[in-house]
């Protein structure tokens, strides 16, 4: 099964992807996580991405498509959930080309997490992440057992630098301009299955909606 999760920043893509992979045994491919790992490792790719990420702009398509092609090819047999990619119509078309080139594969389902814009700032500025295992928490909505500490490995949680209110507002503008059209790309594409999911609800309710759709496809 090959799944794409779409949605504005803070819609809960990462949170739901982790639950999907735990339930269905797929691989989680997060373009944002891969970029952050490249930055920590100090690679050329990481250096190239830095200024775009810190300002809330998109990293150029050619950089991202090359990076994701490698990850997708490796995960293709096991099945995967894409989180944060594709983020432009060009990336979506390149993804189709890539899958088609490998044994006529395609995206099986797109889950579009819909969140009201006034929810975004609260979600993003309250997000805390584990730099060790990548677990994601929220200071009010999804708290760790001990404040500031990861439940999985006891590491001190961090706030992503691009979760400041100024950068979040830029990321929202970037989403509206460049990523929202990707929803229509999939909706207008013959043979693709797109589900709109109300992502304003609490995380367990959103998961229940997501699992209901995926369980039906798995039968
Ligand atoms: P995205 O990957 O779409 O940017 P995340 O999954 O990282 O979003 O979620 C953003 C923040 O909102 C995190 O702090 C997360 O714990 C919290 N969160 C995710 N889903 C929900 C939800 N349904 N209700 C409340 N908070 C949520
Ligand atoms: P995320 O972790 O998904 O919120 O992504 C963090 C940042 O990484 C974004 O604000 C972009 O700068 C960059 N990024 C992640 N995925 C992509 C993508 N598919 N295309 C372009 N830039 C991306």
């Amino acid at each position: 099964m090959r799944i794409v999760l779409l949605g504005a920043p803070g819609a809960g893509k990462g949170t739901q992807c982790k639950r999907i992979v735990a339930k269905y045994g797929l691989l989680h491919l997060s373009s944002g996580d891969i970029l952050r790992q490249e930055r920590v490792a100090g690679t050329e790719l990481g250096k190239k991405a830095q200024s775009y990420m810190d300002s809330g702009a998109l990293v150029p398509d050619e950089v991202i498509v090359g990076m994701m092609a490698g990850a997708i090819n490796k995960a293709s047999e096991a099945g995967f959930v894409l989180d944060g990619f594709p983020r432009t119509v060009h990336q979506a078309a390149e993804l189709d080309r890539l899958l088609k080139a490998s044994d006529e594969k395609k995206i099986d389902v797109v889950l579009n997490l819909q969140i009201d814009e006034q929810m975004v700032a609260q979600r993003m500025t309250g997000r805390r992440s584990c730099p060790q295992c990548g677990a994601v928490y929220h200071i009010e909505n999804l708290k760790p057992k001990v404040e500031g500490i990861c439940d999985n490995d006891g590491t001190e949680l961090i706030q992503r630098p691009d979760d400041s209110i100024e950068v979040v507002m830029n990321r929202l503008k970037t989403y509206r301009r460049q990523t929202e059209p990707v929803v229509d790309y999939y909706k207008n594409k013959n043979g693709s299955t797109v589900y709109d999911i109300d992502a304003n609800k609490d995380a367990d309710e959103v998961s229940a909606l997501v699992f209901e759709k995926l369980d039906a496809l798995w039968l």
Side-chain angles (χ1 to χ4, degrees):
M1 178 74 74
R2 287 169 287 271
I3 303 170
V4 167
L5 255 79
L6 296 177
K13 299 181 293 297
T15 302
Q16 296 304 328
C17 278
K18 289 192 171 70
R19 294 173 182 207
I20 292 170
V21 301
K23 181 166 157 97
Y24 300 99
L26 304 169
L27 293 168
H28 180 190
L29 301 181
S30 157
S31 47
D33 284 352
I34 298 174
L35 288 168
R36 280 182 288 278
Q37 284 158 12
E38 296 283 342
R39 286 182 65 171
V40 169
T43 64
E44 274 312 305
L45 198 159
K47 285 180 195 147
K48 252 188 227 164
Q50 195 164 322
S51 62
Y52 300 100
M53 294 173 79
D54 291 347
S55 68
L58 293 186
V59 176
D61 283 343
E62 62 275 15
V63 176
I64 291 291
V65 170
M67 177 185 93
M68 292 308 287
I72 288 166
N73 279 332
K74 273 193 221 143
S76 197
E77 288 310 317
F80 53 76
V81 193
L82 286 172
D83 166 8
F85 176 85
R87 244 177 168 104
T88 64
V89 169
H90 180 72
Q91 291 179 15
E94 287 296 305
L95 172 61
D96 280 343
R97 262 182 359 114
L98 183 80
L99 292 174
K100 207 166 175 207
S102 70
D103 291 340
E104 295 292 314
K105 292 195 177 80
K106 64 175 187 61
I107 293 299
D108 298 298
V109 59
V110 177
L111 299 170
N112 179 35
L113 301 186
Q114 295 182 303
I115 184 176
D116 295 341
E117 287 198 358
Q118 65 268 27
M119 303 276 281
V120 170
Q122 191 267 3
R123 292 250 184 120
M124 302 297 273
T125 54
R127 173 160 63 185
R128 298 292 182 272
S129 319
C130 176
Q132 189 65 34
C133 72
V136 173
Y137 302 88
H138 190 281
I139 53 171
E140 287 164 1
N141 311 345
L142 288 157
K143 295 180 183 182
K145 291 192 182 91
V146 178
E147 192 185 326
I149 302 293
C150 179
D151 292 349
N152 300 334
D153 51 30
T155 304
E156 198 167 329
L157 302 178
I158 56 156
Q159 183 169 22
R160 274 170 47 177
D162 59 344
D163 280 346
S164 70
I165 189 70
E166 297 76 18
V167 182
V168 166
M169 289 302 131
N170 279 339
R171 291 165 67 192
L172 199 50
K173 274 191 215 149
T174 303
Y175 169 78
R176 282 191 217 116
R177 211 175 37 236
Q178 292 177 271
T179 308
E180 223 164 31
V182 177
V183 178
D184 287 331
Y185 171 88
Y186 283 115
K187 285 188 174 169
N188 294 332
K189 203 173 120 156
N190 273 346
S192 68
T193 306
V194 183
Y195 294 116
D196 290 328
I197 305 280
D198 180 359
N200 297 299
K201 297 173 187 287
D202 80 36
D204 289 345
E205 287 180 85
V206 178
S207 299
L209 294 172
V210 165
F211 293 162
E212 185 187 301
K213 299 296 182 201
L214 295 182
D215 283 347
L217 290 173
W218 237 273
L219 291 176

